[in-house]
Amino acid sequence: MSPLRDPFQSSNRKRRTIRLIDIDSWVDTGLFRTGRFIGAKIEAFSVFMRRFRLTGFPRAVSEVGSDALTLGLGGAVLAVALALPAFDATRNGWESQGDYSVTFLDRNGNEIGKRGIKRKETVPLEEMPDHLIKAVLATEDRRFFTHFGIDVPGTVRAMGENLRADAVVQGGSSLSQQLAKNLFLSNERTLERKIKEAFLALWLETNMSKEDILKLYLDRAYMGGGNFGVEAASEYYFGKSVKDVNLAEAALLAGLFKAPARYAPHVNLPAARARANEVLTNMVQAGFLTEGQVIGARRHPANVIEQTDTAGSPNYFMDWAFDQVKQLRLKGDRSLTVRSTVDLGFQKVADEAVETILREKADVYRARQAAMVVVEPDGAVRAMVGGRDYGESQFNRATDALRQPGSSFKPFVYATAMMNGYTPQSIVRDAPLCIGGWCPRNYSGGYSGAVSLTTALVKSINIIPVRLAQAIGRDKIVETAKKMGLTTELLITRSLPLGAAEVKVVDMAGAYAVFANGGYKATPYAFTQVMNSRGDVLYDRRKDAPPPERALDDTTVAAMNEILSQVPEWGTGRRAKLDGIKTAGKTGTTSAYRDAWFVGYTGNYAAAVWMGNDNYQPTRRLTGGSLPATIWNQAMTYAHAGVPVKPIPFVEPEDGDSDAVVAEAETLEGGEDVRSAATLSAAATAQLIRLEELMRSARPLRPVASLAAPRPIGEIGLAGADPATTNLPALPDAR
């Protein structure tokens, strides 16, 4: 008798369980065998490689070679990554962009200079004298026709000489590299620029013939005196075409490529002739000529024609204006006449103010460079100083350099606060503050307790703007700064309110012009009209420029002008105070005294002054309230001499006349009102009528002080720093 079967037992479930166990066993076995197989292969490979084990000196060589290969590959990847942005400059018709021929006129219609190249004035390479070509190649790049864009032996030789002299005494750049720099890059001495230069040289060699590269180099290189290209230089120095220069003159021209400011014959003829003699020696050493062939040129050096005084030539301005013209992308005729905004008298005074201060105080403060931009309240640039010596360096520090503004950035913080319910009388506590692990400090090391926003900004206290930024939001501060005209990237960091972001001098001048014109964006511009060779107007700013945008409301402008007009009175910018003229502005000094600023304005002009060093080396306690404020004072004293002084909007003029106008609508070039009539309300129109009546009945303003008695430069000393100014160790400073 068979046992009873459990009605709840399923044979299918039993079979399913057995199948899962089989699968698990198969997977485990497979993994085990695979692992054992891989292990055996690795062991076999290891045994095989033991045959090649190195010891002693061969192993050291192998290790070093392996590491060098690894580092070389990593460096190559990094170099390519750094160079990729440079290739953007080779797009969008870069060759035709330089074909513009622009004649610049100043604001009064007088010719001030030219930029670009006229096709009819260029000389074909085959028509240039053979001795000129040989002089250039012997001096700049003897292996030009044999290397691939980078002269490796020349670079190694130059590095050795520079190391031996512990200074830069020889340049290792090939002619192709120099052309790449002239066409696409700046003159900044940085590793990133050198990498881009090398890659762009290779790009030029790939896309152009050697003859075309040489021709471009001879046409585009700066040759001193505001001249670009050998044809322009020959006309300027010798009064004849480059086709007609003799050997001595060709040697002099070839000697200019290295340092046009130092060897320009109209500035230092003995130095130019000595340099030309070196060029003749180079030609002999290169085997291009014999000593007998150059003896005549040595005995009879080149003479140059007499030049008129070129002091105050706005070369930095014209470079910037030329770029602005090219950005218009005008069609058709490329031979243009541009009526610019620059004032030559003002430009000369600005140049002299910068050079005088640097010559007398550069060694004391260890500050080697300066930049300055002066604009009218609508943005018209009247003067631009891009550096101490254009011939020595064409890098425009006013438009291209990025520097931290320090406390001159704080007005953007306070303006944002005014738009978010604060007033100049609002009280904020100056006390210790830490955000995470970051604890900003005041320059004095102490704290003032409860202070008004007016006192905080005039005395440049650090803690207050940091507290304001915490309350209103740093993103709103960036938005305000952008609306007022800053174009650079402003990183939203904890130190942003203290000026840790990087800005341009030209942008700072335009941004402060917003306070001077009553709240409208004042993007700096370089010209008002562009005409072709037939006299047809291709661009007229009064018709073609967009209307100004409102950046700040009247209440904010009034509050900020009330505060900033007190900075030169009893704050950190007392050296900038103009005699008899209401002045407003803000100082700025960054950590380790690397950058010093004064940015200020009157009702007539806004101007930004920066001082520091190209290599970011610290100065010797240079503050914005010392030399930058002094430069600003000297230039602006001239600018206001003998002209009607406009009041700062919503601020009483210097004479304190209670009936004087406290607000005035600024005008554009040509007399147009900044505020469009179509946007005025009935109330605004009535207010303007009332202001007109006040202006008609107002007492005339007191004449400004004579330029003949500026503040003596000799009074400027190391004690010029205001003890009440503030600073932030290891972060952008306060002044």
Side-chain angles (χ1 to χ4, degrees):
M1 182 177 180
S2 60
L4 292 175
R5 178 175 174 270
D6 187 351
F8 299 101
Q9 183 178 5
S10 172
S11 61
N12 291 334
R13 180 184 301 173
K14 182 176 181 180
R15 285 194 297 270
R16 190 181 301 115
T17 301
I18 294 173
R19 189 178 299 115
L20 291 176
I21 293 174
D22 291 342
I23 292 173
D24 179 69
S25 175
W26 179 82
V27 170
D28 289 345
T29 302
L31 290 175
F32 173 76
R33 291 176 177 175
T34 301
R36 188 169 62 179
F37 175 80
I38 293 174
K41 292 297 182 182
I42 292 175
E43 180 64 23
F45 179 76
S46 178
V47 171
F48 176 77
M49 291 303 295
R50 289 194 189 109
R51 303 175 185 177
F52 304 99
R53 179 175 295 175
L54 299 176
T55 59
F57 180 75
R59 179 173 182 176
V61 173
S62 174
E63 293 288 345
V64 172
S66 176
D67 291 342
L69 179 61
T70 302
L71 294 175
L73 290 175
V77 172
L78 177 61
V80 172
L82 292 174
L84 285 177
F87 290 116
D88 292 337
T90 65
R91 302 169 185 169
N92 301 323
W94 66 271
E95 291 174 290
S96 61
Q97 290 179 13
D99 289 341
Y100 284 102
S101 172
V102 179
T103 300
F104 284 102
L105 311 177
D106 68 4
R107 61 177 302 195
N108 299 315
N110 303 310
E111 184 175 331
I112 57 175
K114 297 180 180 181
R115 287 294 185 270
I117 300 174
K118 290 186 178 180
R119 288 186 181 273
K120 64 181 181 180
E121 291 182 355
T122 61
V123 177
L125 191 65
E126 57 271 15
E127 295 183 18
M128 293 185 184
D130 182 65
H131 47 257
L132 173 66
I133 303 299
K134 290 179 177 178
V136 173
L137 294 180
T139 305
E140 297 300 317
D141 191 351
R142 298 180 188 179
R143 286 175 287 272
F144 171 68
F145 283 100
T146 58
H147 64 61
F148 56 91
I150 300 175
D151 183 9
V152 177
T155 301
V156 173
R157 183 202 70 246
M159 292 176 60
E161 292 295 329
N162 294 336
L163 288 173
R164 186 179 299 112
D166 195 24
V168 180
V169 295
Q170 286 191 12
S173 296
S174 68
L175 192 146
S176 301
Q177 289 176 273
Q178 294 179 53
L179 178 61
K181 181 186 69 174
N182 293 340
L183 291 177
F184 306 117
L185 305 172
S186 70
N187 288 321
E188 273 192 311
R189 291 184 174 180
T190 62
L191 177 61
E192 181 180 0
R193 197 267 289 172
K194 293 296 292 183
I195 292 174
K196 291 180 179 179
E197 179 185 287
F199 276 89
L200 287 171
L202 297 176
W203 184 89
L204 287 173
E205 293 277 347
T206 303
N207 291 274
M208 301 178 68
S209 68
K210 288 286 187 177
E211 289 75 13
D212 289 338
I213 292 174
L214 179 58
K215 177 65 168 62
L216 265 179
Y217 180 76
L218 295 173
D219 281 344
R220 303 291 178 91
Y222 180 64
M223 306 291 285
N227 298 286
F228 288 82
V230 291
E231 173 66 7
S234 180
E235 292 282 358
Y236 184 75
Y237 296 124
F238 310 127
K240 57 184 176 182
S241 171
V242 71
K243 294 185 290 186
D244 302 321
V245 298
N246 57 36
L247 179 57
E249 293 166 341
L252 190 146
L253 290 177
L256 293 173
F257 290 101
K258 180 179 181 180
R262 188 184 312 161
Y263 301 122
H266 69 298
V267 176
N268 192 339
L269 184 57
R273 287 177 171 173
R275 174 62 176 165
N277 200 49
E278 292 179 17
V279 173
L280 294 173
T281 301
N282 292 337
M283 297 176 73
V284 174
Q285 292 176 347
F288 294 156
L289 294 177
T290 65
E291 185 62 41
Q293 290 174 303
V294 303
I295 192 65
R298 293 190 193 275
R299 291 178 177 178
H300 304 285
N303 290 311
V304 298
I305 61 177
E306 186 175 352
Q307 302 293 337
T308 58
D309 185 15
T310 58
S313 180
N315 286 309
Y316 287 112
F317 172 83
M318 286 192 291
D319 286 351
W320 176 66
F322 185 51
D323 289 337
Q324 299 293 307
V325 171
K326 290 190 291 185
Q327 289 178 17
L328 292 178
R329 301 189 180 279
L330 299 173
K331 304 295 184 180
D333 192 352
R334 290 178 177 269
S335 182
L336 308 174
T337 299
V338 174
R339 191 182 187 96
S340 74
T341 58
V342 73
D343 184 310
L344 280 189
F346 202 162
Q347 178 68 48
K348 183 175 181 179
V349 169
D351 285 330
E352 290 177 348
V354 168
E355 177 57 26
T356 299
I357 293 299
L358 284 174
R359 185 170 59 248
E360 296 185 357
K361 299 295 180 180
D363 292 336
V364 175
Y365 285 94
R366 293 178 183 167
R368 300 290 183 264
Q369 281 294 349
M372 182 179 190
V373 175
V374 183
V375 301
E376 288 200 344
D378 73 325
V381 176
R382 294 304 185 205
M384 176 180 289
V385 182
R388 186 173 187 177
D389 190 328
Y390 181 81
E392 189 70 25
S393 170
Q394 293 88 56
F395 177 67
N396 194 335
R397 295 154 189 83
T399 61
D400 298 333
L402 299 178
R403 308 296 298 219
Q404 291 184 343
S407 289
S408 61
F409 185 86
K410 289 178 181 177
F412 303 114
V413 181
Y414 284 77
T416 307
M418 300 303 164
M419 291 188 290
N420 285 271
Y422 290 83
T423 70
Q425 293 75 37
S426 297
I427 302 298
V428 178
R429 183 170 178 77
D430 177 24
L433 172 68
C434 287
I435 304 174
W438 180 66
C439 302
R441 292 185 298 166
N442 295 323
Y443 180 66
S444 64
Y447 302 93
S448 303
V451 296
S452 68
L453 294 191
T454 296
T455 299
L457 183 53
V458 172
K459 291 298 184 182
S460 206
I461 297 174
N462 277 337
I463 302 300
I464 303 304
V466 176
R467 288 190 184 277
L468 291 175
Q470 285 289 99
I472 61 181
R474 302 183 191 94
D475 56 333
K476 293 183 179 179
I477 297 171
V478 171
E479 181 181 353
T480 299
K482 292 291 186 180
K483 288 172 62 177
M484 292 179 66
L486 297 192
T487 60
T488 53
E489 182 181 7
L490 303 176
L491 299 178
I492 300 178
T493 62
R494 292 173 293 188
S495 56
L496 171 73
L498 302 180
E502 293 181 325
V503 299
K504 298 179 180 179
V505 177
V506 66
D507 288 348
M508 291 292 283
Y512 273 63
V514 174
F515 298 130
N517 68 29
Y520 290 86
K521 188 174 182 179
T523 302
Y525 63 92
F527 49 84
T528 56
Q529 272 190 340
V530 179
M531 296 165 284
N532 62 18
S533 58
R534 297 184 300 274
D536 301 327
V537 177
L538 304 180
Y539 172 85
D540 191 322
R541 179 175 175 81
R542 291 173 297 182
K543 299 177 182 179
D544 300 324
E549 304 172 4
R550 169 69 80 169
L552 300 176
D553 58 77
D554 286 345
T555 302
T556 300
V557 174
M560 291 305 301
N561 286 348
E562 175 188 338
I563 299 175
L564 292 174
S565 63
Q566 299 182 58
V567 173
E569 299 288 344
W570 54 279
T572 60
R574 289 193 286 272
R575 288 178 183 266
K577 179 71 175 69
L578 300 177
D579 293 337
I581 302 172
K582 201 66 175 179
T583 311
K586 185 70 187 75
T587 57
T589 310
T590 61
S591 61
Y593 299 95
R594 286 186 174 89
D595 304 279
W597 295 74
F598 184 80
V599 191
Y601 56 96
T602 65
N604 295 64
Y605 298 101
V609 179
W610 165 86
M611 292 187 70
N613 294 304
D614 287 341
N615 59 3
Y616 297 94
Q617 286 295 315
T619 65
R620 184 181 287 168
R621 301 185 65 84
L622 175 64
T623 66
S626 56
L627 301 190
T630 303
I631 292 174
W632 192 95
N633 181 291
Q634 290 188 7
M636 297 293 270
T637 297
Y638 166 86
H640 290 81
V643 300
V645 178
K646 301 176 183 179
I648 296 175
F650 311 106
V651 176
E652 288 190 5
E654 187 71 12
D655 59 8
D657 185 356
S658 60
D659 295 328
V661 181
V662 296
E664 178 179 4
E666 294 297 329
T667 57
L668 291 169
E669 193 82 23
E672 291 188 6
D673 196 327
V674 166
R675 308 182 187 201
S676 173
T679 62
L680 292 178
S681 64
T685 302
Q687 188 69 10
L688 286 177
I689 294 174
R690 180 174 178 273
L691 289 175
E692 182 181 5
E693 293 174 352
L694 287 173
M695 286 189 285
R696 291 180 183 277
S697 61
R699 189 174 64 191
L701 295 173
R702 180 160 54 90
V704 299
S706 172
L707 181 62
R711 185 191 301 267
I713 298 177
E715 293 179 3
I716 307 168
L718 286 172
D722 182 5
T725 59
T726 59
N727 185 23
L728 179 64
L731 286 168
D733 194 71
R735 288 149 303 168

